[in-house]
Amino acid sequence: MAAIEIQGLSKRFGEVAAVDDLSFTAREGAVTGFLGPNGAGKSTTLRMLLGLVRPSQGSATIGGKPYAAMAEPFRRVGAVLEADAFHPGRRARDHLRVLATAAGLPLARVDAVLREVDLADVGHRRVKGFSLGMRQRLGLASALLGEPEVLILDEPANGLDPEGVHWLRQFVRAFADRGGTVLVSSHVLAEVAQTVDDVVIIANGGLVTQSSLAELANRSRSGVRVRTPQAEALRGALLAQGISAQLVASDALVALESAAEAVGLVAAGIGAVIFEMTPEHFNLEEMFLELTTSEGASR
Amino acid sequence: MKNLIHAELLKLRTTRAFWAYIAFALAFVPVSIALTMTVSNDGLLLDSSEGITAVFSAASAGGLLLLLLGITMMAGEFRHNTATPTFLITPDRRRVIAAKLAAGSVVGVLATAVSSLLTLAIALPWLAARDIDVSLLSTDVGAPILGGLIGTGLMTAFGIGLGAVMPNQTLAITVVVVWSTTVEALLINVVPEVGRWLPMGAASALSGTWSAEEGLLPFWSAGLVLTGYTLALAAAGTNLVTRREIT
């Protein structure tokens, strides 16, 4: 059974559809990257999954149950949704004590999670003196209090220095390797590419693609960059031949076709002048950009 | 529920802002007694039933701060985004608000009890020094103390309800301060038949800051009116917070 299941989920804020009929799943024991540009609906989706925002339509369950319907959800699911969800005047350890008390968890857990996120030495300090990286860790500590099997992180790498990002990657990887399920959102594929097993890519509130990271990498194609004063006309001719192409400048386009000959023949067919033709290979990040801009926009 | 109430009390104890609110609330006691004993002494004969009640109404002098404290207990969760972890631990938001109301009532009554003891400790020797006889068992002393424990004790819970209805903390505090110090104070003085039905009018009737002779409600009616306001705000606030999107 999928650990996390999103089914036909929609959220409208007035006229704006923040999330639009979104469906995907996240496997147990795997790290799933939840990717999309800013404003794609990632945070809204995660908040619906956690019962903080009411869906307009559809359902979101963890282990077959909506979050709010669980008796002690913090024992199954831990979540960090914002880097700064603390009273600035409260000491870090006290913040965790408050949450542990509300959850009825033993205070020993407080010290255990502080050690787990490397904050044991600064637990007595007030949060207002914490760097963004320390706040992210404290948020993670809060999520770990109930020893959950599922971890949901919204843009956890935001504001982290390279050392912090490295630490987070190892932490998430180790969590999944112990059998845990992780759903981690990001607007930068490169940030999570080293950590995730699967990817769910969304744009404009809807699913663009869901696959394993390896499968996505295999799909990456090569293409041909063409510089021509008739870029727009050439794009139309290419599309007519079933070759997708994108304008990248007023006098340049990229044809998603690895054979330069095919592109050259189409150009000759419409008498287009060609100044330059260069083979191109897309890396994962470019794939991501292409998926979230072109396909996402034309959904 | 016991865990949640403990957590709410712990939230309070672990911020310095809470202790500042309590300290300020208590600091109003000697100021209020001194004002009644000296400055406003002209029109008010101290050695009278009204005079004694006015002195002991100091027990409720910090009521406004206890109300503001209640606002921060609820609206502060939205201001600092702690609503997210709070509602992740306890998705049933009604239980969170119920725990806040319980914790707020405990704090309100305890703070008013301390404030009452402080009032007695300052006012009794001061009045004795002026050769004014005061019986601790008289209604002149008992009514403002008991009224304070009821009315001012309710103030924190009242503030929690208000903070739930008006989750913008700065706005809620501004509205309350302006409303209670000008709008309602004016209404009580100028149109008492309206002012006495309002929350601060009822609280004043209980604490003896103003008396029934000046147009306010009688003691027990005032208690019922103020309890009604608190319950109505709590119900409306619970309804709003439960539907609120936590973004």
Side-chain angles (χ1 to χ4, degrees):
Chain A
M1 182 179 55
I4 295 172
E5 189 158 12
I6 307 284
Q7 271 280 320
L9 199 63
S10 299
K11 179 65 189 182
R12 276 178 299 280
F13 291 108
E15 291 289 290
V16 186
V19 176
D20 188 11
D21 196 21
L22 178 66
S23 301
F24 69 86
T25 57
R27 287 191 288 138
E28 221 165 278
V31 181
T32 302
F34 185 37
L35 304 163
N38 286 328
K42 301 188 297 292
S43 294
T44 307
T45 301
L46 297 183
R47 284 177 181 274
M48 285 192 277
L49 179 58
L50 294 163
L52 296 170
V53 166
R54 196 189 309 262
S56 306
Q57 244 162 18
S59 70
T61 56
I62 302 170
K65 266 193 166 182
Y67 185 88
M70 298 179 197
E72 291 187 306
F74 46 86
R75 288 189 194 275
R76 296 217 54 197
V77 186
V80 188
L81 293 181
E82 52 234 320
D84 206 3
F86 317 102
H87 188 295
R90 194 172 284 135
R91 297 170 199 279
R93 193 171 177 278
D94 287 339
H95 173 77
L96 297 171
R97 271 174 70 207
V98 165
L99 296 179
T101 305
L105 294 166
L107 285 182
R109 283 300 300 154
V110 168
D111 296 306
V113 294
L114 275 172
R115 278 195 301 274
E116 211 170 335
V117 302
D118 285 345
L119 284 180
D121 296 340
V122 291
H124 62 280
R125 276 168 53 184
R126 292 182 199 278
V127 177
K128 70 177 146 210
F130 273 26
S131 68
L132 191 50
M134 290 158 89
R135 284 167 203 243
Q136 291 275 23
R137 285 179 194 213
L138 183 56
L140 196 55
S142 326
L144 295 172
L145 274 173
E147 298 179 80
E149 309 114 56
V150 179
L151 206 51
I152 295 171
L153 309 173
D154 195 8
E155 301 271 1
N158 264 5
L160 289 190
D161 54 17
E163 192 193 340
V165 172
H166 178 72
W167 179 88
L168 184 71
R169 275 186 189 141
Q170 290 193 315
F171 182 89
V172 165
R173 199 58 255 170
F175 187 88
D177 289 346
R178 288 194 301 266
T181 303
V182 185
L183 181 65
V184 53
S185 83
S186 176
H187 60 283
V188 191
L189 174 61
E191 208 171 69
V192 295
Q194 298 181 27
T195 324
V196 301
D197 305 299
D198 299 338
V199 288
V200 171
I201 298 179
I202 70 166
N204 296 327
L207 184 70
V208 173
T209 188
Q210 159 156 39
S211 72
S212 70
L213 186 71
E215 205 178 301
L216 185 73
N218 280 339
R219 266 202 271 158
S220 70
R221 292 166 288 186
S222 9
V224 180
R225 184 188 171 90
V226 186
R227 196 154 74 81
T228 165
Q230 289 122 293
E232 185 62 61
L234 179 56
R235 178 170 173 270
L238 284 167
L239 287 176
Q241 296 294 315
I243 301 173
S244 69
Q246 268 184 282
L247 287 183
V248 290
S250 61
D251 68 339
L253 59 80
V254 172
L256 297 175
E257 161 64 59
S258 50
E261 290 85 348
V263 179
L265 283 172
V266 174
I270 60 161
V273 181
I274 295 195
F275 297 148
E276 201 180 312
M277 277 180 95
T278 331
E280 288 218 330
H281 192 79
F282 302 107
N283 60 26
L284 263 180
E285 196 61 39
E286 284 161 334
M287 276 284 296
F288 173 59
L289 267 177
E290 184 208 325
L291 284 169
T292 53
T293 50
S294 58
E295 289 184 34
S298 63
R299 253 177 33 86
Chain B
M1 186 46 91
K2 209 178 100 194
N3 286 340
L4 291 181
I5 297 172
H6 277 298
E8 288 302 327
L9 292 172
L10 190 60
K11 276 181 194 173
L12 291 173
R13 298 204 315 267
T14 51
T15 58
R16 286 188 284 205
F18 165 71
W19 296 108
Y21 273 107
I22 298 296
F24 269 113
L26 294 178
F28 272 88
V29 171
V31 174
S32 164
I33 295 174
L35 280 175
T36 317
M37 298 283 288
T38 57
V39 184
S40 65
N41 205 5
D42 321 333
L44 190 82
L45 196 58
L46 260 189
D47 197 359
S48 71
S49 201
E50 292 78 36
I52 303 286
T53 299
V55 170
F56 285 93
S57 74
S60 295
L64 181 60
L65 279 144
L66 294 177
L67 199 171
L68 299 186
L69 172 69
I71 292 177
T72 66
M73 283 178 71
M74 190 68 236
E77 295 262 11
F78 299 112
R79 185 172 183 215
H80 301 298
N81 289 331
T82 47
T84 302
T86 297
F87 294 144
L88 282 179
I89 296 281
T90 317
D92 188 349
R93 301 179 196 171
R94 291 168 304 180
R95 295 182 63 219
V96 173
I97 299 175
K100 280 186 189 295
L101 290 169
S105 303
V106 169
V107 168
V109 171
L110 276 182
T112 313
V114 173
S115 170
S116 303
L117 291 175
L118 189 63
T119 304
L120 294 174
I122 297 171
L124 287 178
W126 199 335
L127 288 168
R130 293 253 195 123
D131 286 331
I132 299 170
D133 254 352
V134 177
S135 161
L136 266 183
L137 298 172
S138 71
T139 23
D140 305 341
V141 179
I145 300 284
L146 180 66
L149 286 173
I150 299 169
T152 311
L154 271 177
M155 277 300 129
T156 310
F158 185 95
I160 291 167
L162 200 68
V165 173
M166 255 192 273
N168 180 331
Q169 184 177 307
T170 315
L171 181 74
I173 287 181
T174 311
V175 165
V176 163
V177 170
V178 171
W179 175 265
S180 60
T181 54
T182 60
V183 180
E184 210 177 309
L186 209 70
L187 281 174
I188 293 169
N189 277 312
V190 181
V191 215
E193 48 285 9
V194 176
R196 63 180 182 169
W197 294 103
L198 298 175
M200 299 308 132
S204 302
L206 285 168
S207 67
T209 317
W210 277 293
S211 68
E213 285 74 42
E214 291 170 273
L216 289 182
L217 291 178
F219 194 86
W220 294 112
S221 317
L224 283 176
V225 166
L226 195 59
T227 309
Y229 274 116
T230 307
L231 290 176
L233 274 176
T238 305
N239 190 21
L240 281 169
V241 169
T242 308
R243 287 130 158 283
R244 192 181 159 88
E245 315 270 30
I246 311 296
T247 53

